[in-house]
Amino acid sequence: MKQQIDRIKDWLKKQIQNKTFRRMLTAAVICGLLLSAEFCLMGYGVLKMIRYLILLTGLFVIAWIDQRQKRIPNQILIVLAAGRLGILVAESLVYTGYGLSLFIAAALGALAGGGMFLLAYVLSRGGIGMGDVKLFAVLGFYLGTGSIFTVVFLTVVLSAAYSIVMLIRRKIKLKEEIPFAPFVLAGTLLAMALGS
């Protein structure tokens, strides 16, 4: 465990030296503060706010790594899933009458998110990566069935708009892969800001 914490510290020290990372981190902190204020105004419970902020933190790191290395690390997805499971247990203890329905909604969200992208992975013959499939399964685990469809829609629209603009500007080629996690982060932020 100590080795993993040391590796995270070393990674963060290395990333902080990057000017773009510092800008993105500043923007992420500002978004987190603004969303926290909005969550308070919407009357979200503390556990729901914590759940969303943990998810956004993980998505930020995943988006940064995917943008630079075109990969989504399994370790981060595992930590996010474990964190969600812990929060889910806490939520079921606090909201005793809804414990089972909370677990069902989280499981169905994971199946819906992961299932949609697994189907896209199969149909696109690898155009969608398995990292994206796992990412959407974890995202569905956090958001449940109610919000995962909104996030998927917004993510696809944002990535399609970006791709069209970049194709018109001749910055990318038609078959070129683009990192998808930054659009997942943007779609999730937008969905949360809209109260979904």
Side-chain angles (χ1 to χ4, degrees), residues 10-187:
D10 291 341
W11 182 83
L12 274 174
K13 283 179 188 175
K14 211 179 284 184
Q15 301 312 308
I16 290 290
Q17 294 172 1
N18 185 309
K19 191 179 202 178
T20 305
F21 182 83
R22 288 194 307 266
R23 287 182 186 154
M24 295 298 295
L25 185 60
T26 302
V29 169
I30 291 168
C31 283
L33 291 172
L34 290 172
L35 278 173
S36 295
E38 182 181 358
F39 295 160
C40 288
L41 291 172
M42 293 174 139
Y44 286 6
V46 173
L47 288 173
K48 186 173 185 176
M49 288 173 55
I50 291 170
R51 171 172 36 121
Y52 280 1
L53 292 174
I54 288 171
L55 175 62
L56 290 173
T57 301
L59 287 177
F60 170 77
V61 174
I62 289 169
W64 176 254
I65 292 170
D66 193 32
Q67 178 67 36
R68 297 174 62 82
Q69 300 173 7
K70 292 191 178 172
R71 70 180 189 89
I72 297 174
N74 286 332
Q75 300 91 332
I76 298 173
L77 295 174
I78 291 167
V79 169
L80 279 175
R84 175 59 181 130
L85 189 58
I87 293 169
L88 195 54
V89 168
E91 287 173 332
S92 66
L93 292 173
V94 171
Y95 308 108
T96 52
Y98 301 102
L100 182 60
S101 62
L102 290 169
F103 275 96
I104 290 171
L108 289 176
L111 284 172
M116 280 188 285
F117 275 80
L118 182 59
L119 181 62
Y121 171 79
V122 170
L123 294 176
S124 70
R125 296 187 181 119
I128 299 285
M130 275 308 291
D132 297 320
V133 174
K134 292 180 270 187
L135 176 59
F136 271 92
V138 170
L139 198 58
F141 194 39
Y142 268 82
L143 300 174
T145 51
S147 298
I148 190 64
F149 295 109
T150 304
V151 172
V152 168
F153 174 75
L154 292 171
T155 299
V156 170
V157 167
L158 290 170
S159 65
Y162 171 83
S163 296
I164 290 167
V165 168
M166 296 308 275
L167 282 168
I168 290 170
R169 295 180 62 202
R170 298 181 193 269
K171 299 285 185 183
I172 62 172
K173 294 182 174 106
L174 188 60
K175 298 275 185 176
E176 190 173 332
E177 289 181 23
I178 59 168
F180 201 53
F183 300 104
V184 175
L185 173 61

